Amino acid sequence: MLSVICPACRKTKDRYANGVVTIRWPKQEATRRTILNLIKHQEEWGRQVNPLERIIALEAKGDRLTVLTTNERLAQRIGRALERAFHGKATYQWSRGNKLLRVQWAQ
């Protein structure tokens, strides 16, 4: 029997991200929890629209949180949601062919 792995599962296994969101991590623990809840909510909403929209990893180092996503649309939605919720500034860098999006957000 032939087994098939879905594209999002393969990207997660291989850590092949099409979206990278870098967040300047605030010092307040309550704000950090709120940001993580916002990110998880965006993933849940995205999976209802497209089951292939997933978070590959959340990596916290020092004052930065990096979110790797399976596609660029989820990364863009996370950046926009952070701007709406926390009024910070997000910058968006699209690669050629729009296959990779890098989002940077800070308050």
Side-chain angles (χ1 to χ4, degrees):
M1 179 177 214
L2 179 66
S3 66
V4 178
I5 299 174
C6 84
C9 293
R10 181 174 299 280
K11 284 182 180 184
T12 300
K13 180 180 172 279
D14 296 341
R15 293 182 56 86
Y16 181 84
N18 287 109
V20 179
V21 182
T22 304
I23 298 167
R24 168 97 31 95
W25 206 219
K27 294 187 187 315
Q28 303 86 3
E29 186 62 32
T31 306
R32 287 181 177 196
R33 282 193 305 272
T34 303
I35 288 172
L36 287 173
N37 287 336
L38 179 140
I39 291 167
K40 292 291 186 182
H41 177 74
Q42 289 301 313
E43 179 189 31
E44 289 169 9
W45 186 87
R47 285 182 83 164
Q48 290 177 4
V49 175
N50 179 359
L52 301 178
E53 288 190 6
R54 298 186 190 164
I55 292 174
I56 295 171
L58 297 167
E59 301 168 346
K61 284 187 181 178
D63 69 342
R64 302 251 187 249
L65 174 69
T66 302
V67 182
L68 304 177
T69 65
T70 56
N71 69 21
E72 64 280 355
R73 298 186 87 194
L74 178 56
Q76 184 179 29
R77 270 202 324 278
I78 290 170
R80 287 183 176 165
L82 287 166
E83 284 184 299
R84 282 191 308 270
F86 297 99
H87 308 292
K89 174 71 175 146
T91 58
Y92 303 87
Q93 287 182 297
W94 295 91
S95 69
R96 284 192 151 171
N98 294 334
K99 293 297 179 188
L100 174 66
L101 173 62
R102 293 185 184 278
V103 179
Q104 293 188 355
W105 178 81
Q107 264 184 317

